Amino acid sequence: MRLRTTMCGRSTYVKIAGVAALALTALVAPVSPAAYADPGGDQCVSDPNAHVTSVPSPEKFFGFPLGKGQPRTVTTDEIKTYVEAVGRASDRVVTGTIAHSVTGQELPYAIVSSRHHMVPGQLKKIAAQIRSLRDPRSLRPDKAARIAEDGPAIVWIAGNVHGGEKSGADAALRTLYELAGGLSCDVATRNENLVTVIMPTQNPDGRNADRRQNEYGFDLNRDWFARTQPETGGKIEMLREYPAQVFVDAHEMGGRQYFFPPNADPIHHEIAAQPVDWINRIGAANAAGFGYNGACGGAVTTECYFNYATYDMFYMGYGDTVPATGFGAAGMTFEKGSASAVEDRVQQQFNTQWATTGWAAANRREILDGYYKIWQTAIEQGKAGTLEPNEVVQPTNTVQFPVPDVKVRSYFLLPDRQIGDVRRLVERLRAMDVEVYRLKQAVTVPNADVFGGRTVKNLSVPAGAYWIPMDQPQKHWIQALIAQDPYVPFPYFYDVSSWSNPLLMGVATVSTGDALSPKADAVKGMDGGVVSAAPANGSYSYPMDSAAASELTFRLLGQGVALSRDLATGVVSLPARAVNPGDLDKLARSYGVAVEGRAGDASGTPLRVPDTGLFAGTGVSTTSGSYGEARYVLGERWGLDVKAVTTADVNGNTPAFTERSVLLVPDGSSANGGLTAQGLANLKAWVAAGGTYVGLRNEGTRVARTAGLTSTTEKTKPTGYQVIGSHFRVNVDTASQVALGRPAEDFQFNNGDPILNPSVTGANVLTYPSDGAFWSNGYTTNADALKGSVALVDEPTGAGHAVLFAYNPLFRAYNENGIHLVANALLLPSSKTGAARTLAATPAGKVEALRADAAKAAPADDLAGEWRPIVIQVADADAGRAEAVVRTYTDTARTASADGSSYITIPNPEGLAADEHPFLRDMVHDLNGAGIPLRSVVG
């Protein structure tokens, strides 16, 4: 259809830019909306406060306005009922539920546009046309130009992904009301040129609890690529149906200022040029329409806006980077200071939402033309094997680390091991519209780059491998998600510096710049299931070599199926008579696991459902982070009945502790978990009696050490040591039952974790190579300190084990190789004989003494809780000035020098992310304002 010109009196309303500020000023005023009957047709009025009477105003519905004059934020229930009420009242709106939260709450949405866009079938046609722009292979340029000329663009406004950051949701309701009921030409122009998808709250559970995280303690603004949480999955599915060209993610931060882009560096290199350009120009429109005190600077420090600081676009789990990279949208984070009054927070959020939709409406044709070009360019680059270069957007920055001059035309996921996780990755890619193929016959790759920094000539990739060619529209997303290095351009870190999915899963992966055309079939669904039948008196088996196979194992155990495991090979078997073959096929296929039937009996050591306790004691946050990740993986994914065990339970040796067969101690901030001497003795005796202690990262390993369960000690990190969420190669003790099913070399994710010296009383299951095999990706400095240290230890005591992870294997529930290792730990058999091999090298009688010596070691300072300390790197010559600025914010900083740089470390014992921290943003602003060159900033 051809967009119609909106009429206001006798003047044709073409662009809003010239009157945006005037119209916005009128909308700011806390006056009751003028009531009109809906005139119908194409006519609009000049009064910006004119609204149809049939659409309920916020004043009538809530008893107060949204924005100026608003006394409180609205409730989650009020959001839902208001969206429904507007949907019933306006023929410009359709509403629905985008997803359900962990506790079952609805995430409501509204789609609003001109009424002729909303007639039956027309909205689906518009969405289909926008989707067609994403594949230039099947849409000719002339047809794309016609869509750009005639059709509306799609804008998303999403709020409240962090539950306690509420103003974006309230402002989104105000935006909904204006678009659904407004009669002004300003409104009509937006509705003619846009389809606006409004999702007021992305986190209703967190909103109700006034908590950043969802019910499982997950930060939903880190979950976008992994989609572990239901709130995220539903949102992305709807984005696939209604792909955004502009996406607003409305947040809150500390203070009384407001951030909107241009962003801080770094920006991921695979974000296309068009979205970056649109983002920066929308920033200018927001500046023009912001009102209040305008730009921050000089004496203006509150109710003002700033850009180019704090909020980057690098990690592929944000609500701006994923819409930008995966959907080609101008993905933007807006942040309003939470210290402002409710009315000002909501009003400023509305002002930026209104200015953004105004810019998008005025530039609709250019946006849609550019949107088509994004995917054209992606295909051309993929065919040539070209990667996007690194760039910076902040005027004072320069690219420090350019993207290397390499060609990438294909990725191959090899099928010889961890096949369940390989197939999970295939499905994760396909769920973002990536085309994946399965090889029908082997192909020779002349120049293969094997993940882990190795190259191989004439590598034979076998039939059954998964091939991901880069000459397809989702080239940018493929590179951003799979590449073994994200190539950070500038050393400022808001989050992690590596999320390579093959490395997270530990699956064998190859890339190549060779032009290849292997014989392959497109993948249409999940592979796996029962691949061969078993006779009635036979058995079924599968290798438990992946997180996917681990989940299948726990689900079968939960159904009461008798399972056995070969403790030499890791293969799980079950009697054929114990299951319905059709049910087994369906379940195994859902996990991508291939199950084979055979004539023989099931064999191996019987597996039992672990009676698992989760430590909820001193130092552990039960509402976020490691504890919540354990609740989710063990409870939601594996179906285990996980029971909380408190400090008092262990100290008192209560049944809540002693009746458990496994105790998982998550990461936290305490070295002893609050355990008394008696509690520590109780813990040690419980392990000796056959219990399995699983300790994660800081608190998990330190409590075990304090209890005398390990001889590992912590190595002091050298000055300048930085490991910013990076991957490392590790050597695997494949003879260990904890490592059953893992390859001899694997990869491990490290986020500034404690450095553990090897155990002399147990098995060092994962060890960082001390030779030339040592390898890492992401951003690291002085990481050689890890060489020869251990990442995972199995310490036998009596009939039990203490399995200690130096890192968090459940991090964000997307570290599949770590999840598999935790499953192995939970399924360890209780046996004194299992300890014999690991203790063989230690002289008799020395074990207790060595562990007692380790327990006497002074505990490491808790500088970062479950996250990282803040580290500011400057030249030695600038250290004094930098310290002076830092002292205005805290007296806890410590400075050390190495190789010409001074590192100012600020403890972060609560483990706060950069956007949660009370003064990091202002401190960095002041350091820059003082003219101090910052060599790196880690938050």
Side-chain angles (χ1 to χ4, degrees), residues 402-467:
V403 174
D405 183 18
V406 295
K407 300 289 185 185
V408 181
R409 287 189 171 94
S410 295
Y411 286 98
F412 293 94
L413 307 178
L414 305 187
D416 54 332
R417 57 180 176 82
Q418 281 76 52
I419 190 63
D421 289 343
V422 170
R423 289 169 176 160
R424 274 188 164 174
L425 177 52
V426 167
E427 291 306 297
R428 181 178 290 173
L429 292 165
R430 292 181 63 245
M432 283 290 287
D433 304 304
V434 174
E435 297 162 3
V436 183
Y437 300 83
R438 187 189 311 101
L439 296 189
K440 295 196 292 184
Q441 61 186 49
V443 62
T444 298
V445 179
N447 301 284
D449 292 311
V450 180
F451 273 36
R454 292 172 175 149
T455 60
V456 178
K457 293 290 186 180
N458 298 317
L459 176 70
S460 180
V461 176
Y466 292 93
W467 172 45

Side-chain angles (χ1 to χ4, degrees), residues 408-740:
V408 181
R409 287 189 171 94
S410 295
Y411 286 98
F412 293 94
L413 307 178
L414 305 187
D416 54 332
R417 57 180 176 82
Q418 281 76 52
I419 190 63
D421 289 343
V422 170
R423 289 169 176 160
R424 274 188 164 174
L425 177 52
V426 167
E427 291 306 297
R428 181 178 290 173
L429 292 165
R430 292 181 63 245
M432 283 290 287
D433 304 304
V434 174
E435 297 162 3
V436 183
Y437 300 83
R438 187 189 311 101
L439 296 189
K440 295 196 292 184
Q441 61 186 49
V443 62
T444 298
V445 179
N447 301 284
D449 292 311
V450 180
F451 273 36
R454 292 172 175 149
T455 60
V456 178
K457 293 290 186 180
N458 298 317
L459 176 70
S460 180
V461 176
Y466 292 93
W467 172 45
I468 306 160
M470 293 287 272
D471 58 341
Q472 58 174 298
Q474 281 291 58
K475 174 261 180 180
H476 297 308
W477 182 249
I478 295 167
Q479 183 64 17
L481 201 67
I482 294 183
Q484 64 178 326
D485 202 301
Y487 303 126
V488 62
F490 185 82
Y492 170 90
F493 294 98
Y494 189 89
D495 201 77
V496 300
S497 69
S498 174
W499 53 90
S500 170
N501 277 217
L503 297 179
L504 285 168
M505 293 183 166
V507 301
T509 305
V510 171
S511 67
T512 183
D514 298 325
L516 302 172
S517 298
K519 295 185 182 300
D521 293 324
V523 177
K524 300 296 186 182
M526 180 77 96
D527 293 326
V530 175
V531 297
S532 58
N537 60 350
S539 62
Y540 290 103
S541 66
Y542 60 89
M544 190 181 135
D545 64 348
S546 62
S550 301
E551 192 166 335
L552 172 62
T553 300
F554 284 115
R555 287 298 176 181
L556 289 170
L557 286 170
Q559 294 174 11
V561 178
L563 301 181
S564 301
R565 193 180 191 193
D566 186 319
L567 297 184
T569 65
V571 170
V572 172
S573 58
L574 59 149
R577 62 182 178 276
V579 292
N580 178 290
D583 293 340
L584 178 61
D585 177 71
K586 183 178 179 180
L587 185 64
R589 186 179 299 275
S590 72
Y591 295 119
V593 177
V595 178
E596 296 182 346
R598 62 185 184 184
D601 294 333
S603 60
T605 301
L607 296 179
R608 302 283 184 264
V609 177
D611 189 340
T612 306
L614 181 58
F615 188 63
T618 302
V620 173
S621 169
T622 58
T623 60
S624 64
S626 184
Y627 184 92
E629 291 155 358
R631 275 185 61 214
Y632 169 72
V633 173
L634 276 62
E636 179 68 23
R637 281 196 184 174
W638 294 350
L640 300 180
D641 181 16
V642 179
K643 304 173 182 72
V645 176
T646 66
T647 297
D649 290 328
V650 181
N651 285 338
N653 229 26
T654 70
F657 163 55
T658 58
E659 292 180 0
R660 308 286 77 80
S661 62
V662 172
L663 178 65
L664 190 149
V665 178
D667 193 14
S669 59
S670 174
N672 59 20
L675 300 183
T676 62
Q678 184 60 56
L680 294 169
N682 293 342
L683 178 60
K684 188 174 181 180
W686 172 84
V687 173
T692 297
Y693 174 102
V694 180
L696 311 187
R697 203 169 180 257
N698 291 317
E699 181 155 348
T701 58
R702 291 167 183 170
V703 169
R705 184 177 301 111
T706 305
L709 292 171
T710 180
S711 58
T712 63
T713 55
E714 288 190 33
K715 179 179 178 180
T716 301
K717 297 172 182 174
T719 299
Y721 175 85
Q722 299 276 17
V723 174
I724 313 301
S726 305
H727 278 97
F728 290 80
R729 178 183 287 115
V730 287
N731 294 327
V732 181
D733 178 1
T734 56
S736 167
Q737 293 174 12
V738 178
L740 272 179

Side-chain angles (χ1 to χ4, degrees), residues 259 262-268 276 280 307-314 390-400 488-494 937:
F259 167 83
N263 293 89
D265 291 315
I267 292 179
H268 195 280
V276 175
N280 294 340
N307 325 111
Y308 294 121
T310 306
Y311 303 100
D312 65 2
M313 285 187 71
F314 190 63
N390 263 336
E391 296 179 351
V392 292
V393 296
Q394 290 178 258
T396 57
N397 291 342
T398 58
V399 173
Q400 294 190 25
V488 62
F490 185 82
Y492 170 90
F493 294 98
Y494 189 89
V937 177

